[in-house]
């Protein structure tokens, strides 16, 4: 561990928190917003654990000024949020909805007035349902539509927003949404999932070029979820299983961006298991890989946990649970801060991005609400402390890490888990929509003020908070 209180993050380091539109905004039918795939998915019984839907969520659409005040209270210097594509383009292409764009216009102005740097994500999974009905991300047309949408947003906000993230976690949209069926649109077709990943990456390249044309000072990047993959043993079979999982999860998304090619070993695996008929990718067209490899200004990394795997009977990776229940979060994910350090140093070493941001890192826990209203979440403090320490050590090792965003600013609608999993450093009491800074938010405020880890291991003193 870095000696507590000694490491100072660099000047200009962005201290942020992140959210996404679908998870916090609500107001899904307000001011001309169109339906998203997640609105639709949530309306099908059985898809969402608590049978909830995102129609109200944190009501951020109406309460964004309060949320801005909360950000200022914590001392955030940056805020990562996403734009709801169906709010801006109700059908995903064609006409732009000025009332939708106006919402983000106000939000950006409010952030800038508060001295908080906006980091805008264009696609955080809320694809317009109309586009889905025309094939969604399986179709190349959706990649064209995305570029059109990116242009509309950049033309409106590009004079004030400098940091742009095209897509959030293509792995999730592809694999969870189209191979495992756990996320919208709920399909289970590995071949489809590969086409989806390709069209996401391709549209990233197109959008990056178009955003820069409209906003020459723009810094454009993409956010990938990366997992620290480790073999359960030193056996050849287990190491090969780790190679395979690292391939589908991490390298399938990093190699095209930084090297302009999909990893051949993963293509070979996919042919062997029948996900691809031949090693020729059916959706690939001339010039695509060069577009995808359009240089980016930064890579966003979302990191939550590691994955230890062994070879199953068919040689394919099988997860090996390593942690006791006490070492897991409420979503069952192992708390493994070292993985953040290892993922960041690995990416810096193997892919040499100009800059990196941790665009998401955080944990869901069953928080304790005291009769006084105080929200005691020492396990989240411990999680954040461990991961910030790991991020600091990565910087000390030479990684060009320029910012860190806690997932999440607010408790919110956690996709198929509904409202049951709370990731916020700010509690949302859904019936009243009351916001309460959890102990972790107070701790984070102390860390931001100190530009490093507070010396005490637990919650900071409550003096002067109320
Ligand atoms: C990430 C998503 C984010 C949230 C966190 C917990 O995969 O980007 O929206 O669901 O996980």
């Amino acid at each position: 561990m870095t000696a507590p209180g000694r490491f100072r993050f660099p000047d200009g380091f962005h201290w942020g928190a992140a959210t996404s539109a679908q998870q916090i905004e609500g107001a899904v039918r307000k001011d001309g917003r169109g339906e998203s795939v997640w609105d639709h998915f949530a309306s099908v019984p059985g898809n969402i654990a608590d049978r909830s839907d995102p129609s109200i969520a944190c009501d951020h659409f109406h309460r964004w000024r309060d949320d801005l005040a909360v950000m200022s209270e914590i001392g955030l210097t940056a805020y990562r949020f996403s734009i709801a594509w169906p709010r801006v383009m109700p059908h995903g292409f064609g006409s732009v909805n000025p009332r939708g764009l106006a919402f983000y216009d106000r939000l950006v102005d409010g952030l800038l007035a508060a001295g908080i740097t906006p980091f805008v994500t264009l696609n955080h999974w809320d694809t317009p349902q109309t586009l889905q009905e025309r094939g969604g991300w399986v179709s190349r047309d959706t990649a064209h539509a995305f570029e059109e949408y990116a242009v509309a947003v950049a033309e409106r906000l590009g004079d004030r927003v400098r940091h742009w993230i095209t897509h959030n976690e293509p792995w999730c949209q592809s694999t969870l949404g189209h191979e495992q069926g756990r996320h919208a649109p709920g399909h289970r077709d590995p071949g489809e999932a590969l086409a989806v990943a390709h069209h996401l990456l391709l549209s990233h390249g197109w959008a990056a070029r178009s955003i820069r044309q409209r906003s020459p000072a723009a810094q454009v990047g993409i956010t990938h979820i990366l997992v620290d993959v480790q073999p359960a043993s030193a056996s050849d079979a287990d190491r090969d299983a780790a190679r395979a999982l690292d391939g589908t999860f991490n390298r399938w998304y990093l190699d095209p961006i930084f090297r302009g090619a999909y990893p051949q070993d993963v293509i070979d695996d996919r042919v062997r298991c029948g996900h691809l008929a031949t090693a020729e990718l059916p959706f690939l067209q001339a010039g695509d890989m060069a577009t995808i490899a359009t240089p980016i200004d930064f890579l966003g990394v979302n990191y939550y946990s590691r994955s230890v795997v062994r070879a199953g009977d068919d040689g394919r990776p099988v997860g090996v649970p390593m942690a006791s229940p006490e070492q897991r979060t409420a979503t069952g994910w192992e708390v493994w801060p070292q993985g953040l350090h290892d993922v960041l140093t690995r990416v810096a070493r193997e892919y040499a991005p100009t800059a990196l941001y941790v665009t998401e890192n955080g944990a869901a826990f069953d928080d304790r609400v005291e009769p006084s209203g105080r929200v005691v979440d020492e396990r989240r403090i411990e999680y954040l402390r461990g991961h910030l320490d790991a991020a600091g050590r990565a910087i000390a090792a030479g990684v060009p890490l320029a910012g860190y965003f806690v997932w999440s600013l607010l408790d919110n609608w956690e996709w198929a888990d509904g409202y049951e999993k709370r990731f916020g450093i700010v509690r949302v009491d859904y019936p009243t929509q009351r916001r309460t800074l959890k102990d972790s938010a107070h701790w984070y405020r102390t860390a931001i003020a100190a530009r490093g880890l507070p010396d005490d291991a637990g919650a900071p003193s409550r003096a002067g908070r109320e």
Side-chain angles (χ1 to χ4, degrees), residues 91-173:
H91 298 294
F93 60 95
S95 59
V96 172
N97 173 26
R99 288 182 296 168
L101 268 180
F103 170 68
Y104 300 105
D105 207 64
R106 293 191 292 273
L107 177 61
V108 165
D109 283 346
L111 287 164
L112 293 174
I116 299 172
T117 305
F119 279 63
V120 168
T121 305
L122 288 165
N123 165 32
H124 202 126
W125 308 350
D126 42 9
T127 312
Q129 179 63 17
T130 310
L131 279 183
Q132 186 57 45
E133 281 155 22
R134 295 169 165 234
W137 284 103
V138 179
S139 158
R140 199 172 168 98
D141 291 346
T142 296
H144 287 294
F146 179 76
E147 187 191 10
E148 200 184 317
Y149 153 64
V151 166
V153 178
E155 281 179 346
R156 180 67 178 258
L157 304 179
D159 56 337
R160 285 154 292 154
V161 171
R162 280 198 64 199
H163 298 86
W164 299 88
I165 295 162
T166 52
H167 297 297
N168 178 70
E169 301 184 349
W171 179 87
C172 287
Q173 237 176 329

Side-chain angles (χ1 to χ4, degrees), residues 19-20 23 80 124-125 168-169 172 176 183 223 225 302 304 331 333 360 362 407 412-415 423:
T19 61
S20 88
Q23 295 177 273
R80 173 180 177 233
H124 202 126
W125 308 350
N168 178 70
E169 301 184 349
C172 287
L176 299 181
H183 277 191
T223 280
I225 179 161
N302 291 356
Y304 286 93
T331 48
W333 303 343
E360 284 180 30
W407 184 270
N412 59 48
W413 191 69
E414 177 52 27
W415 311 111
F423 275 90

Side-chain angles (χ1 to χ4, degrees), residues 14 144 300 312 330 388 405 416 432 462:
H14 290 286
H144 287 294
L388 267 169
F405 294 78
T432 61
R462 289 179 62 79

Side-chain angles (χ1 to χ4, degrees), residues 272-351:
R272 223 171 300 131
C273 70
H275 295 172
L276 285 168
T278 71
E280 300 302 317
L281 303 178
F283 38 77
L284 185 63
Q285 296 189 12
D288 284 3
M289 298 315 293
T291 302
I292 294 173
T294 302
I296 51 173
D297 298 298
F298 64 86
L299 176 73
V301 172
N302 291 356
Y303 174 81
Y304 286 93
S305 192
R306 70 168 170 173
S307 181
V308 178
V309 290
R310 63 174 176 80
D313 292 341
D314 56 0
R316 287 164 69 181
V318 177
V320 179
M322 300 299 288
S324 64
E326 304 77 58
Q327 293 163 322
R328 294 177 180 280
T329 70
T331 48
W333 303 343
E334 180 182 4
V335 180
W336 187 253
Q338 179 62 27
L340 177 60
H341 170 275
D342 294 352
V343 159
L344 292 173
T345 50
R346 184 257 181 120
V347 169
R349 193 171 56 243
E350 294 183 18
Y351 297 96

Side-chain angles (χ1 to χ4, degrees), residues 1 5 9 15 73-74 361 375 377-378 380-389 404 406 425 437-462 465:
M1 295 277 283
F9 284 73
W15 295 90
E73 193 179 346
I74 300 170
N361 176 239
V375 186
D377 63 339
E378 62 276 293
R380 186 172 291 102
I381 294 175
E382 195 189 316
Y383 183 100
L384 297 177
R385 167 182 288 281
H387 287 80
L388 267 169
D389 176 74
Y404 172 91
V406 174
I425 55 173
L437 271 66
K438 302 181 189 179
D439 280 357
S440 57
H442 294 294
W443 179 88
Y444 194 41
R445 182 174 67 175
T446 310
I448 295 171
R451 286 202 290 112
L453 300 177
D455 289 339
D456 62 322
S461 140
R462 289 179 62 79
R465 283 196 207 163

